[in-house]
Amino acid sequence: MKLEINGLKKIFINSIRGNLLVLDGVNLKIASGEFVSIIGPSGCGKTTLIEIIAGLQQKTDGEILIDQLPIEKSPSNCAIVFQQYALFPWLTVQKNIEYGLKIRKIDKKERNNISRKYIGLVGLNSYKKYYPHELSGGMQQRVALARALANAPDILLLDEPFAALDAQTREDCQRELLRLWQQIGITIVFVTHDIGEAILLSDRVFVMSSNPGTIKTVIDINLKRPRESSVRVEKTFRVKEMNIRNLLNNGQGEVA
């Protein structure tokens, strides 16, 4: 397993309102190179979960292993991309992508080579000297992806990265993400509210319940790859979509 989580618990301490148990006994295993999605109702702790994996929050209890080592001791690294692009408005596309490399003290020539590689991978060769305000939302999200990938992470964490995009741009970005994943072979953990998006992109979908958050069901997406948006009209796709919807609505669902 590339990523393994056992008995993960997260409690937010609040002396005024009382402690809040957000995650309770989360268990999951993700293989190297696998694309999985996490879906669940608002407030179930999806973002908290991936922020803990990324090291942005501390767990209360449980263990997180990467390559069978505790996350604190693993040489592997994670990169995270949020819904908000979080690009530096005063930096060009290329300089945004190079930012993490510069922090890591990668020399200027290598930074340039790496950034040019990932600018090409996300199809922005003609825009490397543009500033974020000169780009569309979809293009800004491509820059955020390129910036994350430029740091050569072992695991890419995506927290609803396409939620703010219009339908057509979102579909374009989904295709782009699948292309990049198939080309690079990276392990991806993708958080979304969109059931269809989760099925389209994933090898497996983890369905969470809330109050407190835990993994309710794991659904295998046995649809052949490569996938196009047209797969959404297939019966198997629609059955899985209906079953996940039933699970999220506290129905039993019959996962096919």
Side-chain angles (χ1 to χ4, degrees):
M1 291 294 108
K2 185 67 180 179
L3 173 65
E4 184 174 351
I5 297 177
N6 298 309
L8 182 68
K9 181 180 288 188
K10 175 65 178 179
I11 300 173
F12 286 115
I13 307 298
N14 189 310
S15 59
I16 298 174
R17 299 180 183 177
N19 297 344
L20 177 63
L21 178 60
V22 179
L23 298 171
D24 189 21
V26 172
N27 299 293
L28 59 82
K29 295 181 179 181
I30 300 171
S32 181
E34 192 174 14
F35 194 131
V36 304
S37 288
I38 299 173
I39 194 165
S42 295
C44 71
K46 301 185 296 296
T47 294
T48 299
L49 175 57
I50 66 166
E51 287 186 352
I52 292 173
I53 297 170
L56 300 178
Q57 292 196 42
Q58 294 296 313
K59 60 183 172 62
T60 302
D61 198 5
E63 66 175 0
I64 302 175
L65 305 175
I66 296 180
D67 295 326
Q68 300 182 327
L69 292 173
I71 194 168
E72 300 84 2
K73 298 180 180 179
S74 172
S76 300
N77 67 87
C78 301
I80 189 165
V81 176
F82 296 100
Q83 179 180 337
Q84 298 78 19
Y85 317 123
L87 302 178
F88 298 111
W90 60 88
L91 296 180
T92 64
V93 165
Q94 184 165 359
K95 295 301 182 183
N96 262 287
I97 293 170
E98 290 181 2
Y99 183 80
L101 302 172
K102 187 175 181 180
I103 294 296
R104 290 166 52 205
K105 302 188 184 302
I106 304 297
D107 70 72
K108 186 174 181 180
K109 182 178 180 180
E110 188 174 355
R111 291 202 308 266
N112 181 66
N113 290 336
I114 293 171
S115 64
R116 287 168 66 91
K117 171 186 174 181
Y118 286 98
I119 287 170
L121 276 177
V122 298
L124 291 175
N125 280 324
S126 300
Y127 298 91
K128 63 184 179 181
K129 295 187 181 300
Y130 280 55
Y131 290 88
H133 73 272
E134 299 176 296
L135 305 175
S136 67
M139 293 168 75
Q140 289 185 56
Q141 196 58 290
R142 288 187 188 189
V143 177
L145 279 170
R147 182 175 60 184
L149 292 171
N151 289 287
D154 296 281
I155 301 172
L156 179 62
L157 307 167
L158 300 164
D159 187 12
E160 298 197 68
F162 309 143
L165 304 176
D166 64 81
Q168 183 59 57
T169 303
R170 185 171 187 152
E171 192 172 302
D172 291 343
C173 286
Q174 289 166 351
R175 281 196 297 266
E176 186 72 15
L177 179 59
L178 282 176
R179 182 185 66 80
L180 288 170
W181 169 68
Q182 289 164 345
Q183 185 169 345
I184 298 171
I186 194 171
T187 304
I188 293 182
V189 182
F190 188 96
V191 167
T192 180
H193 275 99
D194 188 315
I195 298 171
E197 181 174 66
I199 297 170
L200 175 68
L201 297 174
S202 307
D203 296 315
R204 291 186 296 154
V205 176
F206 292 85
V207 182
M208 290 187 69
S209 58
S210 58
N211 303 317
T214 191
I215 303 298
K216 183 176 185 177
T217 309
V218 183
I219 299 174
D220 290 322
I221 307 300
N222 52 347
L223 298 168
K224 65 181 181 180
R225 295 188 184 272
R227 294 180 197 153
E228 297 292 338
S229 296
S230 57
V231 74
R232 292 175 181 267
V233 302
E234 295 182 9
K235 181 180 178 180
T236 302
F237 189 102
R238 289 185 283 112
V239 168
K240 289 185 182 296
E241 190 171 29
M242 179 182 67
N243 288 333
I244 294 174
R245 196 175 306 280
N246 287 340
L247 287 164
L248 291 174
N249 291 330
N250 295 317
Q252 293 302 310
E254 183 178 342
V255 178

